[in-house]
Amino acid sequence: MKKILIGIVSIVLLVIVGVRIWYVNKDVDIAPVYTYKMGEEVAIEEDFFLDDYEDMNGYTVTVNNAEIMSYEEFLAKYQYEESEDSPLFEDGDMLFPEMVYELHLTVKNTNPTEDIYDDSGIAFLNYHLTGTDFLLQISRQLYEVAQPNLEVNMMMSFRLRPETEMDFYLPFYFQPSAKSMPIQVEDIMNDDLYLVVSKYPNAKRILIK
């Protein structure tokens, strides 16, 4: 009898929790997801990542190319020589980019004049690559190496003059030898990866092939 009573109570509790979850989420609008291909010009319009004060209106993003390389190959590509006294990463740094998945992007500001969207711009800090069960972030140190002529801030944000465009190289990193949740090159090659360029009210992403 006691087991039956415990079972009934458990079922009732599950029902109550289920109803509560439904009630909390019933008015939540799920952002529609729009997927684009590499080479397509994606207009950000009035979409944003986290806050509606973000202003990327008038900007477009195009992914031109993707390339996987090791940390050493990345530095060699940009002819960057590390200083022994001031390396990019200290020994044992958990953010050390063993491997780099680099995207070549073209960003345009299609606004005709400055006064239309005075504060518009893009912050690459919000950019990430998503796979089925993993996420890759940008290495700010390597971003500075790839854009040596830019003054890079913590948000990796920038504004372009009206009706101009600029190429950027975004170095996303992963660690095959990580003790916790390692990501292998095969994981990257055998999965669909997406560059997310906005989340709300429309989620826009670019399929990286």
Side-chain angles (χ1 to χ4, degrees):
M1 183 66 179
K2 186 176 180 181
K3 290 182 178 180
I4 295 175
L5 183 60
I6 292 174
I8 293 173
V9 171
S10 299
I11 293 173
V12 171
L13 287 175
L14 285 174
V15 171
I16 292 173
V17 171
V19 170
R20 177 59 180 167
I21 292 173
W22 170 83
Y23 180 78
V24 170
N25 292 283
K26 68 183 180 68
D27 295 323
V28 175
D29 292 328
I30 304 299
V33 178
Y34 297 92
T35 302
Y36 302 84
K37 298 177 182 178
M38 290 178 61
E40 283 190 75
E41 188 173 16
V42 182
I44 307 301
E45 300 173 311
E46 296 183 354
D47 297 319
F48 55 90
F49 279 96
L50 301 173
D51 298 290
D52 58 7
Y53 67 76
E54 297 174 34
D55 187 356
M56 297 181 283
N57 209 340
Y59 279 75
T60 69
V61 175
T62 305
V63 176
N64 305 306
N65 189 34
E67 181 180 6
I68 294 179
M69 65 193 90
S70 68
Y71 176 71
E72 293 76 18
E73 290 170 335
F74 179 88
L75 297 186
K77 174 180 178 178
Y78 292 100
Q79 300 179 344
Y80 184 88
E81 294 187 9
E82 280 196 280
S83 167
E84 293 184 4
D85 298 327
S86 182
L88 291 174
F89 301 90
E90 300 293 339
D91 288 341
D93 193 330
M94 294 182 65
L95 301 181
F96 178 73
E98 294 178 34
M99 299 296 296
V100 180
Y101 198 143
E102 184 184 70
L103 299 186
H104 170 208
L105 272 65
T106 299
V107 179
K108 293 182 182 179
N109 179 3
T110 65
N111 293 312
T113 59
E114 288 276 9
D115 58 348
I116 293 182
Y117 298 107
D118 233 6
D119 298 321
S120 61
I122 285 182
F124 283 140
L125 183 67
N126 295 318
Y127 277 40
H128 54 270
L129 283 174
T130 60
T132 301
D133 55 4
F134 59 85
L135 180 149
L136 306 185
Q137 296 180 321
I138 296 176
S139 167
R140 188 175 61 82
Q141 293 94 321
L142 297 190
Y143 177 80
E144 293 185 17
V145 171
Q147 277 77 214
N149 297 322
L150 288 184
E151 186 174 331
V152 178
N153 56 42
M154 291 299 295
M155 296 290 291
M156 292 178 282
S157 61
F158 62 93
R159 295 174 59 192
L160 298 179
R161 292 189 304 275
E163 297 185 330
T164 65
E165 64 181 67
M166 186 171 177
D167 283 2
F168 294 88
Y169 294 86
L170 305 189
F172 298 87
Y173 69 97
F174 59 101
Q175 300 164 317
S177 69
K179 294 181 180 179
S180 175
M181 300 180 66
I183 300 174
Q184 306 300 327
V185 174
E186 293 76 14
D187 298 332
I188 303 290
M189 299 297 294
N190 296 329
D191 202 355
D192 288 336
L193 267 69
Y194 298 91
L195 176 67
V196 179
V197 296
S198 75
K199 289 186 175 180
Y200 307 102
N202 299 297
K204 294 177 180 176
R205 62 184 189 174
I206 301 171
L207 176 61
I208 308 301
K209 285 291 188 180

